[in-house]
Amino acid sequence: MTQTEQAEARPRLGRKRDHTRDPEILSAALDVLAETGYDGMTIDLVAARAKAGKATVYRRWSSKADLVLDAVACMKGNDLDLDHLPDTGTLRGDLIAMVKPPSIRDSERKLKVMAGIVSMIARNPELAAAAHKALVEPRAAVNRVFFQRAIDRGEVLPGLDVEKLCMVGPAMVAYRTLMLRIPVDREFLISNIDEIILPAAGLRAA
Amino acid sequence: MTQTEQAEARPRLGRKRDHTRDPEILSAALDVLAETGYDGMTIDLVAARAKAGKATVYRRWSSKADLVLDAVACMKGNDLDLDHLPDTGTLRGDLIAMVKPPSIRDSERKLKVMAGIVSMIARNPELAAAAHKALVEPRAAVNRVFFQRAIDRGEVLPGLDVEKLCMVGPAMVAYRTLMLRIPVDREFLISNIDEIILPAAGLRAA
DNA sequence: CATATCCGGAACTTAACAGTTCCGTATATG
DNA sequence: CATATACGGAACTGTTAAGTTCCGGATATG
């Protein structure tokens, strides 16, 4: 096991592979995706944005579809720690507590990414699943916690269709952003809560 | 002005141009758009579907973007005769009256077209305007009529945010179709009305 | 029935981009 | 400090589709 056979020379794989830049590339991919949509997105653009070589991108992801899938899947929302959500003691308080600039910006970015891939989603079940898990589900999960708490404390009737109520907020935001192309603001979100969601839950506004 | 100058020979423009096939081409464009999305749509595909030559398409529309814009703009909903809407005497009755297979199919097709162009819309204001006028506005207009009637007959309080209430239905349908990718059915639409829209309007279901 | 015009269709040109290969350089390892 | 490896970057290949041109045939007009 001494000299030849390159047992020492070849397997110098001390650095294995530098996955240091992966997050930057994925993040760049999301940026370009949000800005130009799936088909407008080129690998050159992504590589340039991440200050990486195109070859480096292909060393890690075998195709554009692969890269996009991974980028979407790795897109962690920054607010979805279900165990540390605000707990104000009322449904309205909890819902309002989520109306904050960071949360709004987060959701806007997600919507832009979503807009960039909607047309792909119909023909790519894997991507559809990733998008659902990363973009749709987290938001619903937060609302689900709030509604469950309200039910537990007897604030609302237990017979409510929680699943449906959870999608009212996201649906209104998505519609306004994607279809109406009006940016969401604090006022819109609060009136959503007071005029639609709470009445549907059998509550008055305040 | 007699013989030459081709005053007789050249301007044989008796048939001008055969715009007979325009609707078929536009309809084919919408089909392909709904099935494959903007970028997946090729002019060859559209021409083949309309049994027309590619050249014929370009004789009428100068570019793919042009064709798509026109196709979307010409997309008349089949139900939007605001003067002949069902009038049942109650808000719930009017809303429920719109829950019919043809209306559902119409809205599904519109949503598919919308899905095919969302990512373009952000970078093409003209297309955005056309899409809004053809896909978003008609639906809202119908609801607006129903709510105005309800206000006029004193069924609901006049202080309601009608604009917001008008988008609840479309928003829920769009969200379910585009994000959740679950087809809408009669039951979903009715529970939307009874559990969300009517309570938000200050009414009980039935 | 002669002819100008538009049709469908096929062949063509051009541009963009996915994916590959190559190279000179930086760096971590021994 | 020698070297293998992975890097960024540029050059290359192949394919796809936008847009153009050309042609033979149909049709309406006079």
Side-chain angles (χ1 to χ4, degrees):
Chain A
M1 53 130 69
T2 43
Q3 33 128 240
T4 52
E5 201 202 9
Q6 294 159 324
E8 255 185 15
R10 191 109 142 18
R12 185 65 142 296
L13 43 124
R15 205 206 313 181
K16 253 184 271 184
R17 174 156 265 167
D18 178 15
H19 277 204
T20 308
R21 313 274 333 268
D22 285 19
E24 276 146 276
I25 295 174
L26 290 172
S27 167
L30 286 176
D31 283 346
V32 177
L33 202 55
E35 282 167 28
T36 71
Y38 183 90
D39 297 274
M41 163 183 170
T42 71
I43 302 294
D44 287 286
L45 231 48
V46 174
R49 164 94 47 140
K51 286 184 203 301
K54 198 184 185 175
T56 305
V57 175
Y58 277 104
R59 259 171 226 130
R60 291 174 174 65
W61 297 277
S62 64
S63 70
K64 178 176 165 180
D66 228 57
L67 172 62
V68 169
L69 182 66
D70 207 23
V72 171
C74 292
M75 194 187 189
K76 282 276 158 236
N78 23 18
D79 52 40
L80 34 52
D81 198 348
L82 291 187
D83 296 330
H84 301 83
L85 290 175
D87 189 346
T88 65
T90 67
L91 179 57
R92 179 171 195 273
D94 287 352
L95 291 172
I96 296 279
M98 296 300 292
V99 182
K100 288 175 311 188
S103 179
I104 294 177
R105 251 181 289 111
D106 177 46
S107 122
E108 219 153 52
R109 180 185 162 87
K110 283 185 176 178
L111 248 357
K112 278 184 187 167
V113 170
M114 190 48 127
I117 59 175
V118 238
S119 78
M120 294 305 291
I121 278 182
R123 271 151 277 122
N124 187 337
E126 244 188 320
L127 183 58
H132 189 273
K133 190 172 169 191
L135 305 174
V136 175
E137 180 52 26
R139 191 87 220 170
V142 169
N143 284 346
R144 224 174 273 129
V145 169
F146 292 158
F147 278 101
Q148 193 52 54
R149 280 186 197 154
I151 290 172
D152 290 346
R153 67 170 90 92
E155 189 181 0
V156 301
L157 295 173
L160 284 181
D161 187 343
V162 174
E163 278 313 303
K164 185 181 287 283
L165 283 170
C166 286
M167 40 185 291
V168 173
M172 294 294 282
V173 170
Y175 194 75
R176 173 175 249 238
T177 306
L178 265 35
M179 313 272 151
L180 270 26
R181 311 217 64 86
I182 308 172
V184 299
D185 53 19
R186 188 177 167 75
E187 189 198 324
F188 171 76
L189 293 171
I190 290 181
S191 69
N192 259 351
I193 294 169
D194 286 336
E195 298 171 23
I196 313 284
I197 300 175
L198 291 182
L203 295 172
R204 308 203 125 276
Chain B
M1 50 123 80
T2 41
Q3 33 127 241
T4 54
E5 202 201 8
Q6 297 161 324
E8 255 187 10
R10 206 48 178 46
R12 185 66 141 299
L13 43 127
R15 203 202 323 177
K16 255 185 264 183
R17 174 155 267 165
D18 177 17
H19 278 206
T20 308
R21 315 273 335 267
D22 285 20
E24 276 146 277
I25 296 174
L26 290 172
S27 166
L30 286 176
D31 284 345
V32 177
L33 201 54
E35 282 168 28
T36 70
Y38 182 90
D39 298 275
M41 164 183 169
T42 72
I43 303 294
D44 286 288
L45 231 49
V46 173
R49 164 95 45 140
K51 287 183 202 303
K54 197 180 176 175
T56 305
V57 176
Y58 277 105
R59 260 171 224 130
R60 290 173 177 66
W61 297 277
S62 65
S63 71
K64 177 176 166 180
D66 229 55
L67 172 62
V68 169
L69 180 66
D70 207 23
V72 171
C74 293
M75 194 186 190
K76 283 278 158 236
N78 23 17
D79 51 39
L80 32 55
D81 198 348
L82 291 187
D83 295 330
H84 300 84
L85 290 175
D87 189 347
T88 64
T90 66
L91 178 58
R92 179 170 195 273
D94 289 353
L95 291 173
I96 296 279
M98 295 301 290
V99 181
K100 287 175 311 187
S103 180
I104 294 177
R105 252 181 290 112
D106 177 49
S107 125
E108 218 154 53
R109 180 185 162 86
K110 282 185 175 176
L111 248 357
K112 277 184 188 169
V113 170
M114 190 47 127
I117 60 174
V118 240
S119 80
M120 295 303 292
I121 277 182
R123 269 151 280 123
N124 187 338
E126 245 188 320
L127 182 58
H132 188 272
K133 192 173 170 191
L135 304 175
V136 175
E137 180 53 26
R139 190 86 221 171
V142 169
N143 285 344
R144 225 174 272 128
V145 169
F146 292 157
F147 277 102
Q148 193 52 55
R149 280 185 198 155
I151 291 173
D152 291 346
R153 70 170 87 93
E155 189 182 359
V156 301
L157 295 171
L160 283 182
D161 187 343
V162 173
E163 278 314 303
K164 185 181 287 284
L165 284 170
C166 286
M167 40 184 290
V168 174
M172 293 294 283
V173 170
Y175 195 74
R176 174 174 249 241
T177 306
L178 266 35
M179 311 273 151
L180 270 26
R181 313 215 65 84
I182 307 172
V184 299
D185 53 20
R186 190 177 164 76
E187 189 198 324
F188 171 76
L189 294 171
I190 290 180
S191 69
N192 259 352
I193 295 170
D194 286 336
E195 298 172 22
I196 313 283
I197 300 176
L198 291 182
L203 296 172
R204 304 205 128 274

